[in-house]
Amino acid sequence: MLGLVVAGAAGIVGGGAIQKGLAAVLGPIGNHDPTGLVGLIPVGNTFRFYSVTTGAPRKDEKSYQLTVGGLVDTPLTLTLSDLRAMPQTMLTRDFQCVTGWRVPEVAWSGVRLSDLLDAAGATSDATAVRFTSFDGTYTESLTLDQARRDDVLVALTMIDGPVTHDHGGPVRLFVAPMYGYKSLKWLGGIELTRDVVPGYWETRGYSIDGWVGASNGRDDDPTS
Ligand SMILES: Nc1nc2c(c(=O)[nH]1)N[C@H]1C(S)=C(S)[C@@H](COP(=O)(O)O)O[C@H]1N2
Ligand SMILES: [Mo]
């Protein structure tokens, strides 16, 4: 069985001790899981650490910047302290990768994406938002309506502290109602666009609308 799983190998990078141990046993686990068996391995409720690149530069207090641009009235460049000075929203939600693994009740906090969009002011011809990662490769997108949901965060904390580098820190996206591939790590740029621009995995076959089933709470009141 393990042989079948390993045959689907793509990239898994970094991670905590448990995950490294697992990686050593299993070899790299693919982002794609053609066998469907990865989700059946009893690994407990742990994150897999995914990156389509061999990593991203480490960014800290001094070097981190988030730009908000494209079809906006007021382009923004924000530091970590700018983001921390904005209202913070806490959310606890399951995190589910489209390949089948799921981590229940992960605590997140950060700035609502909608607050950043309001601060920049989308122009009337903007209908979508494109996200870029400072890994230089990964991209994602949402419609403007999806991006304005209350359960879409520019996340600064995850689980019990600042978002770690491996999890896409210091700032990553958390799109609560959608599969993990929408939650872009190492967030560097937010760009308002005229049309949806398909993201990295979406040009490789994943659905542009990444909704998880109702069991993930997508229809719940996000403020409750
Ligand atoms: N920049 C970047 N963001 C990314 C990815 C990636 O490869 N690169 N993988 C996505 C996928 S498919 C998942 S399931 C989650 C995994 O998050 P984790 O690595 O914190 O477990 O990150 C998403 N965001
Ligand atoms: Mo994923």
Side-chain angles (χ1 to χ4, degrees), residues 31-51:
N31 269 339
H32 295 282
D33 176 21
T35 64
L37 290 173
V38 167
L40 301 179
I41 301 172
V43 292
N45 297 325
T46 54
F47 278 86
R48 317 285 167 87
F49 295 85
Y50 278 172
S51 177

Side-chain angles (χ1 to χ4, degrees), residues 17-193:
I18 294 170
Q19 195 61 44
K20 282 202 177 107
L22 245 186
V25 175
L26 297 180
I29 298 170
N31 269 339
H32 295 282
D33 176 21
T35 64
L37 290 173
V38 167
L40 301 179
I41 301 172
V43 292
N45 297 325
T46 54
F47 278 86
R48 317 285 167 87
F49 295 85
Y50 278 172
S51 177
V52 298
T53 61
T54 54
R58 283 179 190 268
K59 303 246 181 185
D60 59 16
E61 207 65 50
K62 286 204 175 101
S63 54
Y64 183 76
Q65 280 194 334
L66 174 63
T67 59
V68 185
L71 302 174
V72 296
D73 297 328
T74 314
L76 307 172
T77 301
L78 301 161
T79 63
L80 275 175
S81 57
D82 293 334
L83 290 168
R84 287 196 202 102
M86 296 180 69
Q88 306 292 302
T89 296
M90 279 181 272
L91 275 183
T92 298
R93 289 288 187 281
D94 294 357
F95 188 89
Q96 184 161 326
C97 174
V98 72
T99 61
W101 55 273
R102 175 174 181 161
V103 187
E105 302 198 7
V106 182
W108 300 83
S109 77
V111 178
R112 282 200 173 123
L113 178 59
S114 63
D115 287 347
L116 290 175
L117 299 177
D118 288 347
T123 64
S124 57
D125 46 354
T127 72
V129 187
R130 178 170 185 262
F131 306 94
T132 53
S133 170
F134 61 81
D135 70 9
T137 301
Y138 203 84
T139 58
E140 254 309 329
S141 62
L142 293 171
T143 67
L144 197 47
D145 286 344
Q146 292 166 355
R148 286 195 163 126
R149 287 177 60 108
D150 280 350
D151 54 359
V152 178
L153 298 185
V154 168
L156 303 177
T157 80
M158 174 184 171
I159 308 174
D160 54 4
V163 180
T164 62
H165 177 75
D166 285 340
H167 280 307
V171 180
R172 80 178 289 175
L173 202 62
F174 176 54
V175 183
M178 297 198 180
Y179 284 115
Y181 64 90
K182 286 283 176 181
S183 292
L184 175 140
K185 308 203 295 185
W186 307 296
L187 177 64
I190 297 174
E191 189 194 342
L192 282 283
T193 56

